[in-house]
Amino acid sequence: MTTIRLTNTATRRKEVFAPIDPGNVRMYVCGPTVYDRAHLGNARPVVVFDTLYRLLRHVHGPDHVTYVRNLTDVDDKINAAALARKEAGAPGSLEDLIRQRSDETIGWYHDDMAALGALPPTEEPRATEWIDAMVAMIGDLIARGHAYEAEGHVLFSVASDPGYGSLSGRAVEDMIAGARVEVAPWKRDPMDFVLWKPSGDDLPGWPSPWGRGRPGWHIECSAMANGLLGDRFDIHGGGIDLAFPHHENEIAQSRCCGHGFAQVWMHNEMLQVEGKKMSKSLGNFFTVRDLLDRGVPGEVIRMVFLGTHYSRPMDWTEKKRDEAEGVLRRWRTMIEGAVPGAPHPDIVAALADDLNTAGALAVLHRLAAEGDAASLAGSARLLGLLTPELAGWTDAPDLSALAGRLAELRAAALASKDFAAVDAMKAALVAAGVEVRMSKDGVDLAPGTGFDAGKLEDLA
């Protein structure tokens, strides 16, 4: 069997991956808070851990891997979005509007991630469906002396856990100095974090021994992971921004309940755009749907992501997008009619080496250069590329009518020596991503990088 090596954030080294139960390899990845569209940074962990999921399924068998990715549908931002709708006159109770907003956003998320070629996880629990498990876990923490009630809140006592900070490798004193901690009179210690908080009549809430309220964010994942994957499971993943405090707090809660929790922690680095941090203030913030609506194929987005190792910051650039689109067009043309073969051993070896996706792409380039269409097709699918589900975007449209019009304008221009109309039409075609070739033999048009059929409507 293929030996997989993964970098474990908890030990800070690359280790041989040895599943607890090879017959049921278990992975938990923190999913979205469903209040709005997923932005490009949200999509990176989806592609990273989807690729790992594909590798685990290839090595251990599709029926022997369980992948859980949660949906956080208890959150103040969701509440605020629903309240804004209610104040705008939307019918229904606040709870109804919260559910509608969550359902709508989850639908968007599924559509956008499918467009990137991500396989659906085995389980996708919603936090609101696991409230009872969270309440039980909080009660257990109180009984064990690791949590306390204060003014309707229940807080985890960080001082009660000697191992706190093991994931991030920082002392509690350093965390206090560098973290933005909520100051509240009912906290015993600045680092203590909320497990349960009270809900007023204008907020969603559930009954509990501490009054009507709702869970804190961190307890959600601990309860769902334990309920679906057991006290000990193999891999917990997410973006590096979650390592502290979210994942640190998950470990503390679970450990103090007597759970072994995850044996391998993996974190992907952050995403930049054209060398800068993505932010609305810089005007470089966009969602996955923004790119899809601009005509960027999801397969292209995926390939750009795969070009950078998950542990390194990834820079989204238009140059990378153009290059990926051009390569994928050539590869899809090459594999037409080919029967996909088994993934090449070198592809599997690259991915097994701490998910070296850039190395795997290099193997695909080599297979394409060798003209091995069958191996290219089968190997690319292990990366979620060149799949039937993502096909269609390279289908060549019929541009013969436009080519005929440009040829007529060109003939007239050769006679009149006025090429203004030819230049204008050519510029419009190029702006739509059409490659224009004119020679003495005529005019040839073909879709190129960034092709957008919608921009051709005014020329039709």
Side-chain angles (χ1 to χ4, degrees), residues 28 68-72 123-127 129-130 224 228:
Y28 186 96
V68 177
R69 186 181 67 212
N70 71 294
L71 297 165
T72 295
E123 300 279 355
E124 198 172 38
R126 294 172 69 135
E129 297 168 351
W130 287 80
M224 289 185 283
L228 290 168

Side-chain angles (χ1 to χ4, degrees), residues 74-343:
V74 183
D75 185 81
D76 289 343
K77 290 181 180 179
I78 302 173
N79 299 340
L83 185 61
R85 287 188 175 189
K86 187 172 181 63
E87 292 174 346
S93 66
L94 182 61
E95 287 78 7
D96 290 337
L97 293 173
I98 288 171
R99 182 75 184 194
Q100 290 171 18
R101 178 63 173 179
S102 297
D103 289 348
E104 177 182 48
T105 308
I106 289 169
W108 292 343
Y109 184 78
H110 287 161
D111 290 345
D112 292 349
M113 297 309 107
L116 301 184
L119 298 171
T122 315
E123 300 279 355
E124 198 172 38
R126 294 172 69 135
T128 51
E129 297 168 351
W130 287 80
I131 301 296
D132 289 347
M134 297 173 205
V135 169
M137 193 171 187
I138 294 169
D140 191 18
L141 286 168
I142 292 175
R144 291 169 179 260
H146 294 290
Y148 58 93
E149 183 182 0
E151 299 185 25
H153 296 76
V154 180
L155 295 107
F156 182 87
S157 173
V158 169
S160 74
D161 178 21
Y164 192 85
S166 59
L167 181 67
S168 58
R170 293 184 286 176
V172 173
E173 294 77 14
D174 295 335
M175 296 180 198
I176 294 174
R180 292 178 295 174
V181 295
E182 181 183 1
V183 177
W186 27 264
K187 280 188 173 187
R188 294 178 183 172
D189 186 279
M191 287 298 293
D192 292 351
F193 56 88
V194 172
L195 300 172
W196 189 263
K197 51 190 172 184
S199 290
D201 294 337
D202 59 337
L203 291 171
W206 291 264
S208 82
W210 320 287
R212 181 177 179 275
R214 60 198 191 278
W217 174 34
H218 311 301
I219 196 69
E220 296 176 14
C221 288
S222 287
M224 289 185 283
N226 177 257
L228 290 168
L229 298 177
D231 286 357
R232 294 177 65 235
F233 57 93
D234 298 297
I235 300 169
H236 193 313
I240 192 64
D241 56 316
L242 300 181
F244 179 82
H246 183 50
H247 290 164
E248 195 77 74
N249 291 352
E250 279 187 66
I251 291 174
Q253 294 161 164
S254 299
R255 176 171 50 222
C256 290
C257 278
H259 304 162
F261 216 49
Q263 68 170 6
V264 176
W265 286 84
M266 292 180 65
H267 293 93
N268 65 272
E269 262 291 352
M270 305 299 285
L271 178 139
Q272 300 174 325
V273 175
E274 301 290 351
K276 297 179 180 178
K277 181 179 178 181
M278 187 171 68
S279 72
K280 292 180 180 179
S281 62
L282 293 176
N284 64 352
F285 179 95
F286 43 85
T287 67
V288 174
R289 180 52 50 180
D290 290 335
L291 286 180
L292 295 173
D293 287 347
R294 279 167 40 192
V296 182
E299 188 172 31
V300 170
I301 299 172
R302 185 181 184 98
M303 186 166 178
V304 173
F305 282 174
L306 294 175
T308 301
H309 192 266
Y310 75 88
S311 66
R312 298 176 62 83
M314 200 217 85
D315 192 14
W316 172 272
T317 68
E318 284 299 306
K319 180 182 179 182
K320 289 180 181 178
R321 168 258 169 109
D322 290 347
E323 291 174 347
E325 184 171 335
V327 168
L328 286 169
R329 282 186 182 279
R330 292 193 297 274
W331 286 356
R332 281 204 169 272
T333 299
M334 180 179 173
I335 67 167
E336 277 187 32
V339 177

Side-chain angles (χ1 to χ4, degrees), residues 1-2 4 17 19 21-26 52-67 119 122 348 382:
M1 181 176 288
T2 301
I4 298 174
F17 174 62
D21 175 7
N24 183 20
V25 182
R26 287 160 290 167
L52 178 58
Y53 182 39
R54 290 171 181 273
L55 173 65
L56 293 173
R57 284 161 57 95
H58 176 76
V59 172
H60 294 278
D63 297 331
H64 301 293
V65 183
T66 302
Y67 173 21
L119 298 171
T122 315
V348 178
L382 188 56

Side-chain angles (χ1 to χ4, degrees), residues 349-420:
L351 294 181
D353 182 17
D354 199 24
L355 221 58
N356 182 4
T357 52
L361 287 177
V363 177
L364 294 185
H365 282 284
R366 190 189 79 208
L367 295 174
E370 293 170 354
D372 190 345
S375 187
L376 173 63
S379 299
R381 289 187 181 187
L382 188 56
L383 289 168
L385 299 173
L386 305 186
T387 63
E389 293 79 12
L390 296 184
W393 65 270
T394 58
D395 292 347
D398 185 1
L399 301 177
S400 58
L402 290 173
R405 281 188 53 201
L406 184 58
E408 291 173 359
L409 290 175
R410 181 167 177 261
L414 289 171
S416 67
K417 307 303 181 185
D418 182 359
F419 287 86

